[in-house]
Amino acid sequence: MLRPRVRRAGCPRLDRRRRCQAPVDGTYIFGATLLYKINASATARMRGRLVLNGTTEVRGSLGEISATHVSLATAIWLQTMVPLTAGDTVELQGYFRVADGYFAADHTSFWGNKIG
């Protein structure tokens, strides 16, 4: 599973698995970027999503690039709002279909803030 860098100032609270954990009930905004890095083939199809409590995809957070990828140039940006209850977690998941690939770790980010 992808372990992105998480900006501490942007995420209210991190648990041991580097998931954002809501300290209080409210509406939160989350975002992420995933940058493609070639493995053996540029035919990989990059996908990313935000997952609530390890099981449920956050509505509106799935993104995919199905065009030809360019190493260290093709990126996905995700952003969505979600109502959370204290203790809920949100994590970034990135994966590939068609062919193998990498996410450039130094250019992958995941952030969240309470907005309401």
Side-chain angles (χ1 to χ4, degrees):
M1 181 181 295
L2 176 67
R3 295 280 180 233
R5 290 182 183 195
V6 180
R7 286 189 267 161
R8 256 214 181 302
C11 188
R13 193 167 163 198
L14 297 176
D15 68 7
R16 294 182 322 155
R17 291 185 51 202
R18 298 182 63 131
R19 299 174 296 189
C20 284
Q21 185 175 30
V24 295
D25 295 358
T27 301
Y28 291 77
I29 186 166
F30 288 96
T33 59
L34 296 165
L35 183 66
Y36 170 73
K37 185 174 180 181
I38 196 166
N39 182 7
S41 170
T43 62
R45 297 300 173 251
M46 180 171 55
R47 286 182 148 193
R49 68 182 185 166
L50 300 176
V51 177
L52 177 63
N53 295 325
T55 58
T56 306
E57 184 176 290
V58 175
R59 175 182 262 165
S61 73
L62 176 65
E64 177 180 287
I65 300 211
S66 56
T68 302
H69 292 19
V70 176
S71 189
L72 300 177
T74 302
I76 291 177
W77 296 272
L78 308 172
Q79 186 172 315
T80 194
M81 293 189 317
V82 62
L84 298 178
T85 302
D88 281 349
T89 61
V90 175
E91 64 186 276
L92 171 63
Q93 291 182 351
Y95 52 100
F96 292 91
R97 62 180 189 84
V98 180
D100 208 4
Y102 296 109
F103 294 106
D106 289 348
H107 300 285
T108 295
S109 64
F110 174 45
W111 56 268
N113 282 302
K114 184 176 184 303
I115 59 172

